[in-house]
Amino acid sequence: MRRKILFATGNEGKMREIRMIMEDMDVELLSMKEAGISPDIEEDGTTFEENALIKARAVADCTCGEEIVLADDSGLEIDYLNGEPGIYSARYMGEDTSYRIKNAELLRRLQGVPKEERGARFVCAVAAVAPLAGGGRKELVVRGVIEGYIGWEEKGNNGFGYDPIFYVDEYGCSTAELDGEVKNQISHRGNALRLMKERLASLL
Ligand code: ITT
């Protein structure tokens, strides 16, 4: 029987990318929605890693304990804003505020700032809670990063969230202008999940 992996995210943009990055794995990948789980999780950690583990543990506690649970905590760090919005990326200006408004506000806060001070990165921590054959469970956490900068205007319709204002030098465009496959090859999420796949190999 194929091993089940439950991904503890309610973010559909993330889930689309996760499915593409994990499509080469011989596992049954389920979103929380597909598993019928929607726990209320308080992400009160102080790092991406802590929050990823909080989500993975909370969802693992809702299951019968047979599947591997993965969770992604990610965000955008802007150097000029001392790392803001960072772990508060989803909550920045309010969880329900549109990314049109959030992105416009970040561009406004960087008005007049030269390219060399517009450095930024997307960070992604992926945590796993996996049952062990002899009982108990193993926890793993990895981090992936993509370096870039904040552009001067929103561009592109791919991706989600802050992608339209996050630009990469290698392609000279925003990550919202990249084809999904290309973004995954270089992204924080792609890097973190590829590392996690290697670490999980011995547990599958
Ligand atoms: P879950 O906790 O249910 O997974 P969430 O959206 O609340 O969903 P996070 O707390 O990890 O997830 O917040 C991540 C936020 O960081 C996300 O909502 C985006 O605003 C931003 N973000 C992360 N990865 C991104 C990416 O690849 N492109 C654009 N924005 C991204």
Side-chain angles (χ1 to χ4, degrees):
M1 211 174 66
R2 282 166 92 212
R3 197 70 197 264
K4 269 191 193 162
I5 293 188
L6 175 53
F7 218 108
T9 181
N11 181 319
E12 289 183 5
K14 274 187 192 179
M15 200 61 212
R16 262 197 312 276
E17 294 185 0
I18 289 161
R19 282 195 191 288
M20 284 169 79
I21 300 164
M22 296 180 67
E23 72 185 357
D24 60 339
M25 289 179 87
D26 186 24
V27 295
E28 187 182 346
L29 182 62
L30 297 172
S31 66
M32 282 205 300
K33 200 168 158 191
E34 287 164 338
I37 297 174
S38 53
D40 211 5
I41 305 172
E42 200 186 339
E43 295 178 32
D44 55 3
T46 57
T47 62
F48 292 108
E49 281 80 359
E50 276 176 26
N51 280 335
L53 258 178
I54 287 170
K55 290 189 236 188
R57 284 180 187 145
V59 170
D61 289 343
C62 296
T63 68
C64 60
E66 278 170 13
E67 49 277 86
I68 293 174
V69 177
L70 297 183
D72 160 319
D73 197 69
S74 45
L76 175 65
E77 291 181 344
I78 302 177
D79 294 338
Y80 186 77
L81 303 179
N82 301 313
E84 269 188 65
I87 60 166
Y88 302 105
S89 292
R91 292 165 271 179
Y92 180 65
M93 297 181 77
E95 192 105 33
D96 295 329
T97 304
S98 78
Y99 278 87
R100 264 276 135 85
I101 294 175
K102 296 188 196 208
N103 285 331
E105 173 61 6
L106 289 173
L107 290 180
R108 191 198 61 75
R109 291 179 70 188
L110 265 71
Q111 237 169 32
V113 175
K115 163 118 197 270
E116 56 277 18
E117 291 175 45
R118 300 178 78 92
R121 70 203 52 77
F122 275 130
V123 179
C124 174
V126 172
V129 173
L132 291 172
R137 54 196 203 180
K138 186 174 177 71
E139 296 183 340
L140 300 167
V141 195
V142 297
R143 169 181 281 230
V145 176
I146 176 175
E147 296 287 341
Y149 62 97
I150 302 302
W152 285 264
E153 58 177 330
E154 278 190 63
K155 275 221 164 152
N157 297 307
N158 299 333
F160 65 99
Y162 299 106
D163 279 320
I165 60 166
F166 182 82
Y167 286 59
V168 277
D169 270 323
E170 192 183 351
Y171 290 90
C173 67
S174 81
T175 43
E177 293 178 278
L178 294 176
D179 177 74
E181 293 275 359
V182 176
K183 179 184 170 190
N184 290 337
Q185 274 163 23
I186 58 171
S187 78
H188 52 318
R189 184 160 297 107
N191 292 333
L193 279 172
R194 279 185 287 274
L195 207 56
M196 182 55 89
K197 281 197 272 188
E198 280 173 28
R199 304 275 299 273
L200 281 179
S202 62
L203 296 172
L204 288 172

